[in-house]
Amino acid sequence: EHFLPVGYFDYGEMNYKRFKTYIIDYVKAVPELDKVEWIYYIDIDVLFGAPFIELAYVLESRYNLNDIPEHLSKLYFFENAWDKFILQGGFFVLHRRNSKFCLDAWRQEIDNLPHWKFDQMALNQIFENHKENKEMRCHLITMERDNYMIEYPTSDEEVQALMDAPRLPNLIHIRNT
């Protein structure tokens, strides 16, 4: 139901990347999750290096995640390791009642430009649109990245250096695409 026709995208993996923009629909489909308000989305290529609860506590206090955004749709993303993109789409935080507008906008940007290779390009577009139009209902919040929260190793040597470190980061995004 959420697939676009084969060949729609120049890069077939974009058809799968748009699934993350339906996360609220997937959560709503499971009655046992009815009381879940805040959702942490994590790509399959993100590994846990430390207990997740540590990271959740830091993010909840630093970004005031216990306050429910009333009039704005918000998504919270870590800043990207690449200069090319502002935000990293492999891990993000959203509110089940107030983030749908942003998720829909993200999916629309992905779908409108089928030649893009990365979903971060669509995020960048929304981010830039917000800079131009402060009245826009979708706000993408950049969460600062430090070495103990998330790392983006891109080579075997960088992975090995992380494994040899005295403390692993909470999240390790292996592929970083």
Side-chain angles (χ1 to χ4, degrees), residues 23 27 36-43 48 52-61 63-66 76 78 90-96 143 171:
I23 191 167
V27 169
V36 172
E37 293 291 327
W38 288 97
I39 301 166
Y40 291 79
Y41 173 88
I42 303 171
D43 268 354
F48 291 97
F52 181 73
I53 196 72
E54 294 174 11
L55 178 63
Y57 284 142
V58 170
L59 296 179
E60 287 172 14
S61 64
Y63 297 100
N64 209 13
L65 295 183
N66 292 319
Y76 299 79
F78 277 116
F91 174 91
F92 59 94
V93 183
L94 62 139
H95 192 272
R96 104 183 262 140
M143 298 187 296
L171 302 171

Side-chain angles (χ1 to χ4, degrees), residues 77-91 120 123-124 142-147 149-155 158 162 171-177:
F77 293 91
F78 277 116
E79 58 192 352
N80 206 324
W82 294 358
D83 292 336
K84 185 176 180 179
F85 303 119
I86 300 164
L87 305 171
Q88 178 28 261
F91 174 91
Q120 290 96 325
L123 289 174
N124 272 10
T142 305
M143 298 187 296
E144 291 180 28
R145 176 180 70 86
D146 69 38
N147 293 345
M149 286 188 187
I150 189 166
E151 275 293 331
Y152 306 107
T154 57
S155 68
E158 289 177 7
L162 281 176
L171 302 171
I172 305 164
H173 197 168
I174 296 296
R175 206 161 140 229
N176 192 29
T177 57

